[in-house]
Amino acid sequence: MRQTGFAHQLWLGLVALVLVLFGAFLFSRALQADEDARVLYRESLALAQAGFEAQLLLNELRTPNTDARSAIAPLRRKLDEIGGLHLTGAERQDLGDIERAVEATELDPAAQHRATLLQGSDRRLLALVTSVRDRTESTATAAHRFRDFALYGLLAVTVLTLTTALTLVALAMRTLSAHRERLGELDQMAHEDALTGVVNRRRLDETLPIELARAQRLGYPLTVAMLDLDFFKRFNDRRGHGAGDVLLREAAQSWRRQLRPTDVLARYGGEEFTLVLPSCDAEQAEQLIERLRPLMPERQTFSAGIALWSGQDGAEELLRTADIALLQAKRSGRNRTVVAGREPQIALPLRVVS
Ligand code: GH3
Ligand code: MG
Ligand code: MG
């Protein structure tokens, strides 16, 4: 599912890239067509000017009392000027015909032959100018049409690219939130006990030092209690491991409902639980534990050891103190609570020294 989402994003990214490249191509082609039309238009104007001047010089050359050589030189320059422009084959042929007629006039400068020799040059010159003008017009029209096409094309490309980009952003945001959700699930899996649903030992190890620091800063008491089910092995042996699992889960869930939101109930391991109780002294913790006892299903009992934080101990030391109190509760008969520092005196078995 996540891979399909990624593939979609990849495809959309590629589509956006192709669209942008196509847009850039259209833009550059439109610019080029515009530039071509401008060059041709400029040349067409230059040709019109040169054609007009050549026409005047041809007329002058045709006049019988004109000195042929002095009229031919500027005419030749004009024709060279026209030859320097971009001409088609047919246009160049017209120009060649005019040049040859002028050359013949130069070779035979007799005034009476000039009109005959130059006959047709006017028509050719006009044909040349008209041809270039037609070409310019059709190129300008094509460039105009292409620019319109490019404009609409660019508009379409922009809309498509924007749509693609928005879809991409929406997809990326969906993927991101799916990742966040998955991370949350992973975090929960890493810190929650799968059987009972309460936090596990790892979370307890992370939380307790933070709770101690907060208690120190805000100056309230903090108590830790260790709870261990009595003779639970026997329960399992009699009722089966599955029934034992159900009991553990039900006990943890009903205990949790009795706690404040700021209290922490953790499964320390096996059938042993830890309570972290901020703003709670040893007596209040004792009372709370007495309220938890009747919630235990199947009349199962448990023993508890309580340690009030001294304000100096570290988390590990505090847990150890509560564990020692729990051991005392077990030793003194189980199904009871012992507060560290208030352990009951246990009669040691008599050792008979022989
Ligand atoms: P004590 O009063 O001294 O604590 O006796 P106990 O039998 O409870 O203690 P012991 O350490 O001998 O045995 C703990 C038992 O807890 C053994 C094990 O079968 C049971 N236990 C630990 N974890 C689980 C669990 O996840 N599910 C079940 N059903 N039983 C568990
Ligand atoms: Mg036990
Ligand atoms: Mg145990």
Side-chain angles (χ1 to χ4, degrees):
M1 160 74 186
R2 222 174 315 143
Q3 266 181 356
T4 326
F6 183 67
H8 282 159
Q9 286 174 41
L10 209 65
W11 274 113
L12 278 176
L14 277 176
V15 168
L17 188 69
V18 169
L19 283 173
V20 168
L21 287 178
F22 182 61
F25 170 75
L26 267 184
F27 186 65
S28 76
R29 290 293 302 135
L31 280 183
Q32 186 60 48
D34 220 35
E35 180 59 21
D36 288 351
R38 211 183 348 247
V39 167
L40 211 57
Y41 179 70
R42 223 180 293 127
E43 288 201 345
S44 182
L45 280 182
L47 181 73
Q49 166 89 27
F52 182 68
E53 285 172 22
Q55 181 72 54
L56 282 178
L57 290 165
L58 272 173
N59 283 344
E60 209 175 306
L61 191 60
R62 242 187 242 116
T63 316
N65 48 7
T66 305
D67 173 22
R69 284 181 213 288
S70 64
I72 280 172
L75 180 57
R76 271 240 164 95
R77 274 202 299 281
K78 270 306 134 195
L79 294 178
D80 284 351
E81 205 178 295
I82 294 170
L85 302 174
H86 292 97
L87 300 178
T88 62
E91 290 159 1
R92 215 161 267 293
Q93 206 171 336
D94 279 336
L95 182 67
D97 287 348
I98 301 168
E99 280 171 341
R100 271 188 293 281
V102 172
E103 208 172 308
T105 313
E106 193 174 25
L107 292 174
D108 182 10
Q112 63 271 31
H113 295 148
R114 286 186 211 160
T116 325
L117 287 171
L118 293 171
Q119 200 179 16
S121 292
D122 292 347
R123 196 173 29 79
R124 288 196 182 90
L125 200 58
L126 182 66
L128 202 156
V129 173
T130 311
S131 163
V132 173
R133 192 204 68 130
D134 288 350
R135 214 151 40 82
T136 308
E137 200 172 280
S138 70
T139 308
T141 311
H144 211 268
R145 242 186 255 134
F146 188 75
R147 208 185 45 198
D148 284 354
F149 167 74
L151 211 72
Y152 288 119
L154 270 177
L155 199 71
V157 163
T158 309
V159 170
L160 279 173
T161 312
L162 268 176
T163 314
T164 315
L166 284 176
T167 315
L168 248 177
V169 167
L171 268 180
M173 279 170 74
R174 217 175 61 182
T175 312
L176 209 71
S177 83
H179 277 190
R180 252 195 231 125
E181 225 170 83
R182 187 88 192 106
L183 269 181
E185 281 168 19
L186 283 176
D187 184 66
Q188 198 175 358
M189 273 162 71
H191 294 104
E192 191 181 281
D193 174 53
L195 177 68
T196 59
V198 299
V199 300
N200 60 15
R201 174 86 175 266
R202 186 185 310 183
R203 176 63 92 199
L204 174 71
D205 289 344
E206 287 169 7
T207 311
L208 190 51
I210 299 170
E211 289 297 340
L212 294 184
R214 191 177 293 143
Q216 179 132 59
R217 203 178 61 237
L218 302 177
Y220 55 67
L222 184 141
T223 305
V224 160
M226 292 294 246
L227 281 58
D228 186 287
L229 274 58
D230 297 329
F231 299 124
F232 196 53
K233 187 173 176 341
R234 213 185 286 167
F235 181 93
N236 273 327
D237 292 345
R238 284 189 190 146
R239 306 284 301 277
H241 210 265
D245 281 356
V246 172
L247 186 138
L248 283 173
R249 186 166 42 244
E250 284 180 358
Q253 290 300 320
S254 47
W255 285 348
R256 196 158 64 171
R257 282 193 287 274
Q258 284 295 308
L259 303 173
R260 296 184 205 154
T262 47
D263 295 341
V264 179
L265 172 64
R267 188 176 179 201
Y268 196 73
E271 25 67 273
E272 199 167 340
F273 294 87
T274 308
L275 277 171
V276 179
L277 307 168
S279 271
C280 181
D281 60 24
E283 284 72 29
Q284 289 167 323
E286 248 183 314
Q287 288 162 14
L288 169 68
I289 285 170
E290 291 319 306
R291 287 205 304 278
L292 299 184
R293 287 192 187 284
L295 300 176
M296 181 65 97
E298 311 281 351
R299 304 175 70 179
Q300 170 69 40
T301 62
F302 67 87
S303 304
I306 291 176
L308 175 68
W309 185 46
S310 62
Q312 259 97 55
D313 294 345
E316 236 176 88
E317 219 170 334
L318 181 60
L319 287 172
R320 200 167 333 117
T321 311
D323 214 23
I324 292 168
L326 169 66
L327 201 67
Q328 290 293 329
K330 290 276 182 191
R331 282 190 182 156
S332 51
R334 294 183 171 78
N335 193 22
R336 68 198 58 209
T337 304
V338 169
V339 178
R342 283 202 254 132
E343 291 89 346
Q345 294 302 306
I346 307 166
L348 294 172
L350 272 178
R351 287 181 67 199
V352 182
V353 184
S354 56

